[in-house]
Each structure stands twice: as structure tokens, then as C-alpha cells.
Amino acid sequence: MLHTDAQIEDLDAALLALPPESEGMLASEFDGFVTGVLLCPEMILPSEWLPRVWGDPELAVFESDAAAQRTVAAVMAHYNRVARGLARNRPVCEPLFDEDSRTGEVLWEMWVSGFEEAMRLRPDSWMATVESGDPDVEHALPLMLALHAIQVGESEMPQASIDELSEQAPDLIPTLVLTLNGWVKAQRGTSGAANLPGAAARRAKVGRNDPCPCGSGRKFKKCCGQEPVH
């Protein structure tokens, strides 16, 4: 198992520590986002992708230094777990999907939203993936984008096809991820990709006087780790 229930609960609690008005990511969306970051043929450093997780930078202020430390630690720990799963000789993908508590329906939509958000960080790299000439990849990425079109209500497919693809999505997404992951790992020209074997683990703990991992250039205590103004 890639994630334990306790680790998922810790991630949930950490992300919920952000003010709701900042509209930061929650667990399922973040899991899709970080998977997209790791699958990108070009390495994307935390200083670039972390601000997307927090949401509105003007509103994403933690309640305390301890809350900020917990959130950063939980986010980076999850990033590393997903990275290790993809870097294995036999890669593992276990998407964090939400579930409708009334019906038990698997809700994949926010995961796909997070993945598409990651793609926006490096559109040219993803276009190169589409044009790679690999038939599996050329099939996988359009399917992922088709799921996103369904998620945002912009799909032009017949309703019957939308319903069928939506039903398949929870089982299809891990297959698409592993297909894309295999292509990225095969590209020796992209040895800096974060999901390749031997990729460095990211720091999970940030000192108050360290640079803020959001990439602002300020010290952590003066940025995401600052005390709220009352």
C-alpha cells in the first residue's frame, strides 16, 4: 500500500488548516496535481508548484508556525510517497479519490482537475509528449484530457460516451498514469524528471529562518509561516 489511512488523514487535516477562503487544494485534487507534476517530462521544483497548492497567496496564511510546519511536512511527505511509487521497478499508482458517503460512488473529478492544473505548468513539455510517436502515450494523454473536459462540463462527446467514460474513470486513471510514467522514465534526455529512480527526496521540514518553500524569496517566518494578523 502506497498510503496508509493515517497518512491520508494527516494530509487531509494539514490542507484543511489553510483558511477556506484561500481556496487551496484538498487531498484528492492535490494528489492529482502532484502526480501531474511528477509525470511531467521536465522537472518542476517545489518552489514553483507549492504556491498552487496554497491557493490565493494573499489569503493563505497559517494559524501558527506549528500549523505551517505540519502542512508543509504532510504535503512534501505525500509528494515523496507518490514519487517513490512511480520510481519503483514495478511502479505503483494509488489515486486518492473522494467517495460519496451516501451512495458509495467514487468521485474522480477533483483528482483530474488537479492533474490538469499541473499540466498548465509545462504545456510545451506535455505537447512534446503527445507528439512523441508512442501510440500508447498518444492514446493516454487525450483520454486524460477527455476526462477533464467531462469534469468541467465541456465535453463534446455523446452523453452515452460521457457516461461510459465516467464509469470507467476510477479504473482507467491508474492505467493512464502508469502508461505516461513509463514513457517519461524511458526518456534518457529527461533524467532530471522527479519520478526517475534516484531522484532526490524533498525536504519535509522547514526552519523559521529558511527560505519559504512557496518560492517568494522571503524567510518562512515572514511568509507562509507568519502569524495571522488579528
Side-chain angles (χ1 to χ4, degrees):
M1 179 178 290
L2 197 59
H3 318 286
T4 66
D5 289 343
Q7 288 168 336
I8 295 172
E9 290 173 2
D10 185 46
L11 179 65
D12 272 328
L15 292 173
L16 285 169
L18 288 164
E21 58 270 21
S22 72
E23 298 185 346
M25 294 182 184
L26 297 181
S28 183
E29 184 180 7
F30 172 65
D31 186 64
F33 178 73
V34 79
T35 302
V37 167
L38 288 161
L39 289 183
C40 183
E42 183 179 349
M43 176 178 273
I44 305 174
L45 296 175
S47 59
E48 182 176 355
W49 61 256
L50 264 175
R52 303 291 185 104
V53 181
W54 308 146
D56 188 327
E58 297 296 325
L59 300 174
V61 178
F62 295 95
E63 293 182 356
S64 65
D65 179 54
Q69 292 280 4
R70 285 194 301 271
T71 299
V72 172
V75 162
M76 298 312 297
H78 187 78
Y79 173 94
N80 283 324
R81 286 195 299 272
V82 176
R84 287 194 296 268
L86 293 174
R88 293 178 183 177
N89 290 330
R90 294 184 178 181
V92 177
C93 174
E94 296 178 358
L96 298 186
F97 296 136
D98 293 323
E99 183 176 302
D100 189 317
S101 58
R102 298 168 298 174
T103 65
E105 179 185 2
V106 176
L107 305 176
W108 52 268
E109 288 85 353
M110 290 310 298
W111 190 97
V112 168
S113 176
F115 190 94
E116 194 273 343
E117 179 73 13
M119 291 180 66
R120 292 174 182 267
L121 296 174
R122 291 291 187 279
D124 291 342
S125 291
W126 286 105
M127 181 59 67
T129 303
V130 174
E131 298 173 350
S132 67
D134 186 305
D136 290 335
V137 170
E138 289 179 351
H139 179 68
L141 199 52
L143 267 177
M144 193 72 82
L145 292 174
L147 289 171
H148 179 256
I150 293 173
Q151 184 260 325
V152 296
E154 296 179 355
S155 177
E156 298 181 355
M157 295 190 300
Q159 188 59 48
S161 298
I162 291 175
D163 293 342
E164 181 180 5
L165 189 56
S166 297
E167 184 177 351
Q168 295 173 349
D171 295 323
L172 180 61
I173 286 171
T175 300
L176 299 179
V177 167
L178 294 178
T179 297
L180 293 168
N181 182 61
W183 182 84
V184 172
K185 290 171 72 173
Q187 307 311 299
R188 297 310 175 196
T190 58
S191 58
N195 63 337
L196 293 178
R202 306 297 189 258
R203 290 182 61 188
K205 185 173 178 61
V206 182
R208 284 183 55 74
N209 290 311
D210 289 339
C212 188
C214 77
S216 66
R218 292 176 289 176
K219 291 184 178 181
F220 180 66
K221 66 182 179 182
K222 295 292 187 181
C223 191
C224 291
Q226 66 180 304
E227 300 289 339
V229 177
H230 297 288

